[in-house]
């Protein structure tokens, strides 16, 4: 029945939005958080782990959790991750210092690491390849709706209650989500051999990423772009990732099995996901900082400014799915990254008097943010659809995880590296600035010199942000080129007969194959999956 699978994907979309709310909520509550836990407002770099901790947990756990969902089923993984998400929320709400706050965010991130890819894999289970982009666009829209509401949600609650209430509220929300998942999401695991789980590969990937993030975290950016331990830790992280790649080549059970898959297009598509994630996180953090440091807005006003960008994301995510369904994945991916590059160049060129700048009747600030959001939103569904089309249905869970891992790796490494660069550049640009001392001069002279000092600080901030947005525009141009190389199936042509090198058939490309729940018969004994053509689905019903 169509209605039941819609309820299932709706429940999955709800848990995706819950995780997205908490992923982005801290971008607008940093000021009350740092005041509460005793971090000086001029040393915001000390709370960078609070931002990166969630992303690191999210990225590090996701491939392994995606693989576990392929083995044990979607519903058990969603339920287990919701429980741990609640545990992480409690730890975060009780935190009184940066290490405990970071620990809570890491637990939340690890738990949230399954919610989006498992829901994406559920879409792959329930819908055939032609219909899938639209459904994935809706899931992506739920994720981006969370990103829209997250900053506003955080700012709104922090305005009337203690910021810790944000994380206590998660407990009843998690309970409601668990009820919805239990009712709607199919619980079958499939018959026949179940895929293995590459625990060693998952741990190597997590360790390598953790070392890279630790290597770029710099609590003293006024001294250098990287901390003293940065180069050796970065080298160690790179070495561990090399070991991870070698392990994946030789291991019998792999985190992402690429046998029978066109690797070049797949890796290019994952590259698009990585670069779009980096651009997204730069925008989420730096636009709010521009609002608060350059425009003099408070946290709520900064969140409201960001909504111009965030509202455009889910709208474009749905549109990108529809375009991919009609024309294939390549063109909306390439166009989205190109439009984003234009948007970031426009943002980088924001004038000093930004509040009054406009394009005729259109406010410049709003227009540039909407353009950028529309560009990044177009990419979301085509990237997911292309990757799911490259791999057999038995690997939808881990393939979906790979898409989100790439995106979140971009967010994690992008914000870590660019924040380190930005803090360093700001300290470099202001190294020779000395604030005037009021007791050494008259009141009028002090006011005049203070005005000059503040103007110089503002110029330094604008230069820092301009350079960051220039770099982001360059990443988007690279993403557009990768999208053209990635391809994806042209919906106006017949399906390709081959899915992998040497002409080996790829069942995930030739026909949709969905996870068997035990209610159907005639499954492929080798895979435990049922081919569906036109009618019937995982629920064993028409639709």
């Amino acid at each position: 029945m169509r209605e039941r699978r819609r309820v299932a994907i709706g429940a999955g979309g709800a848990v995706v939005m819950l995780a997205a709310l908490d992923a982005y909520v801290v971008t607008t509550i940093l000021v009350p958080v740092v005041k509460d836990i005793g971090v000086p407002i001029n040393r915001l770099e000390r709370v960078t782990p609070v931002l990166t901790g969630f992303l690191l947990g999210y990225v590090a756990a996701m491939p392994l959790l995606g693989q576990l969902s392929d083995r044990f089923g979607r519903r058990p993984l969603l339920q287990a991750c919701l429980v741990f998400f609640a545990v992480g929320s409690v730890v975060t709400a009780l935190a009184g210092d940066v290490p405990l706050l970071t620990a809570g965010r890491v637990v939340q991130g690890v738990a949230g690491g399954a919610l989006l890819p498992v829901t994406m894999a559920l879409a792959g289970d329930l819908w055939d390849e032609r219909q899938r982009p639209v459904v994935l666009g809706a899931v992506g829209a739920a994720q981006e709706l969370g990103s829209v509401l997250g900053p506003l949600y955080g700012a709104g609650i922090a305005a009337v209650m203690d910021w810790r209430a944000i994380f206590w509220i998660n407990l009843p929300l998690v309970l409601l989500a668990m009820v919805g998942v239990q009712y709607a999401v199919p619980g079958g695991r499939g018959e026949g051999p179940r895929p293995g789980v590459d625990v060693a590969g998952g741990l190597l990937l997590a360790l390598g990423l953790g070392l890279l993030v630790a290597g770029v975290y710099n609590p003293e950016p006024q001294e250098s772009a990287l901390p003293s331990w940065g180069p050796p830790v970065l080298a160690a992280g790179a070495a561990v990732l090399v070991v991870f790649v070698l392990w994946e080549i030789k291991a019998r059970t792999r985190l992402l099995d690429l046998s029978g898959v066109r690797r070049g297009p797949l890796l290019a598509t994952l590259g698009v996901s990585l670069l779009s994630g980096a651009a997204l996180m730069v925008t989420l953090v730096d636009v709010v900082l521009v609002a608060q440091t350059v425009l003099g807005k408070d946290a709520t006003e900064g969140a409201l400014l960001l909504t111009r960008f965030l509202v455009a994301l889910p709208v474009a995510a749905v549109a990108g799915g529809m375009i991919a369904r009609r024309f294939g994945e390549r063109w909306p991916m390439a166009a989205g990254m190109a439009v984003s590059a234009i948007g970031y160049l426009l943002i980088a060129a924001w004038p000093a008097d930004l509040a009054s700048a406009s394009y005729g009747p259109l406010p410049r600030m709003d227009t540039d943010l909407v353009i950028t959001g529309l560009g990044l939103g177009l990419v979301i569904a085509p990237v997911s659809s292309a990757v799911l089309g490259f791999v057999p249905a038995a690997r939808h869970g881990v393939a979906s995880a790979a898409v989100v891992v790439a995106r979140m790796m971009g967010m994690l490494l992008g914000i870590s590296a660019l924040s380190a660069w930005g803090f360093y550049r700001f300290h470099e640009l202001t190294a020779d600035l000395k604030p005037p001392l009021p007791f050494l001069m008259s009141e009028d002279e002090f006011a005049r010199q203070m005005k000059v000092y503040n103007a110089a600080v503002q110029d330094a901030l604008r230069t820092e942000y301009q350079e960051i947005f220039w770099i982001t525009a360059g990443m988007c141009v690279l993403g557009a080129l990768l999208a053209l190389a990635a391809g994806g199936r042209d919906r106006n042509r017949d399906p390709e007969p081959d899915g992998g090198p040497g002409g080996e058939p790829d069942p995930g490309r030739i026909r949709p194959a969905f996870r068997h729940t035990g209610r159907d018969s005639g499954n492929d004994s080798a895979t435990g999956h049922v081919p569906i053509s036109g009618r019937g689905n995982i629920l064993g019903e028409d639709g």
Side-chain angles (χ1 to χ4, degrees):
M1 186 172 68
R2 279 198 191 109
E3 190 62 33
R4 188 171 175 188
R5 69 176 179 177
R6 288 174 180 168
V7 173
I9 205 67
V15 300
V16 164
M17 190 172 74
L18 175 63
L21 279 172
D22 269 47
Y24 302 115
V25 72
V26 296
T27 60
T28 52
I29 63 169
L30 273 181
V31 173
V33 168
V34 298
K35 287 181 179 178
D36 193 18
I37 62 178
V39 176
I41 196 68
N42 62 341
R43 302 308 303 271
L44 285 177
E45 63 270 11
R46 294 182 182 175
V47 295
T48 300
V50 176
L51 291 171
T52 57
F54 186 96
L55 296 176
L56 179 59
Y58 203 96
V59 171
M62 192 179 297
L64 199 55
L65 292 171
Q67 199 170 58
L68 286 169
S69 81
D70 286 337
R71 180 174 177 82
F72 298 109
R74 314 300 184 205
R75 186 167 70 193
L77 257 293
L78 288 173
Q79 296 285 38
C81 286
L82 284 168
V83 170
F84 279 98
F85 189 83
V87 171
S89 298
V90 171
V91 173
T92 304
L94 294 174
D97 53 33
V98 170
L100 191 58
L101 185 63
T102 302
R105 294 291 289 167
V106 169
V107 173
Q108 280 191 296
V110 168
L115 300 178
L116 180 57
V118 173
T119 301
M120 289 163 59
L122 187 63
D125 294 342
L126 296 173
W127 275 269
D128 64 31
E129 189 174 0
R130 182 170 180 81
Q131 299 294 328
R132 195 180 298 148
V134 177
V135 182
L136 289 170
V139 173
Q143 161 81 5
E144 303 314 329
L145 183 60
S147 71
V148 173
L149 298 177
L152 289 174
Y153 172 67
I157 292 180
V160 297
M161 290 187 283
D162 185 81
W163 62 269
R164 299 173 191 274
I166 294 168
F167 301 101
W168 289 120
I169 290 171
N170 282 346
L171 301 185
L173 294 179
V174 164
L175 183 60
L176 288 174
M178 291 182 69
V179 171
V181 167
Q182 184 66 30
Y183 167 75
V185 175
R189 297 184 300 185
E191 296 179 351
R194 299 189 184 103
V197 177
D198 182 13
V199 176
L203 293 177
L204 284 171
L205 179 61
L207 177 60
L209 292 174
L211 289 171
L212 290 181
V213 172
V216 297
Y217 169 58
N218 187 5
E220 302 295 337
Q222 69 274 13
E223 297 179 3
S224 61
L226 288 176
S228 58
W229 66 81
V233 172
L234 288 173
V240 171
L241 291 180
V242 169
V243 173
F244 164 72
V245 172
L246 294 175
W247 169 266
E248 290 297 300
I249 292 173
K250 295 183 177 298
R252 180 172 298 178
T253 299
R254 301 168 183 168
L255 207 59
L256 178 58
D257 187 355
L258 298 182
S259 58
V261 176
R262 295 183 300 161
R263 300 187 183 190
L266 174 64
L267 294 176
T269 305
L270 294 177
V272 175
S273 186
L274 183 145
L275 291 167
S276 66
L280 173 64
M281 195 63 183
V282 167
T283 313
L284 292 175
V285 173
D286 283 292
V287 167
V288 173
L289 289 177
V290 167
Q292 295 181 344
T293 59
V294 175
L295 300 179
K297 297 180 180 293
D298 61 23
T300 303
E301 290 170 329
L304 289 172
L305 174 62
L306 189 62
T307 56
R308 278 70 161 176
F309 169 82
L310 293 172
V311 167
L313 276 173
V315 174
V318 175
M322 293 179 177
I323 295 169
R325 177 185 177 187
R326 178 68 180 86
F327 298 105
E329 292 90 0
R330 172 187 297 173
W331 301 113
M333 277 196 294
M337 295 304 287
V339 170
S340 300
I342 294 170
Y344 287 114
L345 289 174
L346 292 172
I347 292 173
W350 276 354
D353 187 16
L354 181 56
S356 59
S358 65
Y359 301 111
L362 300 175
R364 174 164 182 171
M365 197 163 41
D366 297 353
T367 304
D368 293 349
L369 289 171
V370 168
I371 290 171
T372 309
L374 289 174
L376 285 183
L378 277 177
V379 175
I380 295 169
V383 164
S384 303
S385 177
V387 170
L388 288 178
F390 290 139
V391 303
R395 296 180 234 158
H396 276 169
V398 70
S400 298
V403 175
V404 187
V405 163
R407 187 183 189 202
M408 301 301 285
M409 278 180 62
M411 296 176 73
L412 177 61
L413 298 177
I415 194 59
S416 297
L418 288 177
S419 291
W421 168 255
F423 285 129
Y424 169 71
R425 280 292 287 150
F426 178 73
H427 284 290
E428 186 179 57
L429 291 166
T430 59
D432 296 329
L433 291 179
K434 303 296 181 184
L437 300 176
F439 52 83
L440 296 178
M441 61 194 73
S442 68
E443 186 174 333
D444 290 342
E445 179 63 16
F446 172 74
R448 186 189 69 79
Q449 290 195 23
M450 196 66 191
K451 184 176 180 180
V452 172
Y453 172 80
N454 287 333
V457 170
Q458 292 292 301
D459 286 341
L461 286 168
R462 280 194 296 272
T463 300
E464 173 198 345
Y465 296 134
Q466 183 180 59
E467 292 174 356
I468 288 175
F469 288 123
W470 278 344
I471 295 170
T472 309
M475 292 191 299
C476 290
V477 171
L478 178 59
L481 296 176
L482 284 176
L484 292 175
R489 198 182 67 165
D490 186 343
R491 304 293 177 187
N492 293 320
R493 298 203 311 259
D494 291 332
E496 297 177 12
D498 303 324
E504 295 177 5
D506 181 345
R509 302 267 312 168
I510 294 175
R511 57 182 179 155
F514 302 118
R515 181 164 296 284
H516 185 47
T517 63
R519 295 177 59 181
D520 303 306
S521 60
N523 60 300
D524 184 337
S525 60
T527 63
H529 288 76
V530 176
I532 305 294
S533 178
R535 296 175 65 83
N537 54 50
I538 188 174
L539 302 175
E541 295 157 337
D542 191 342

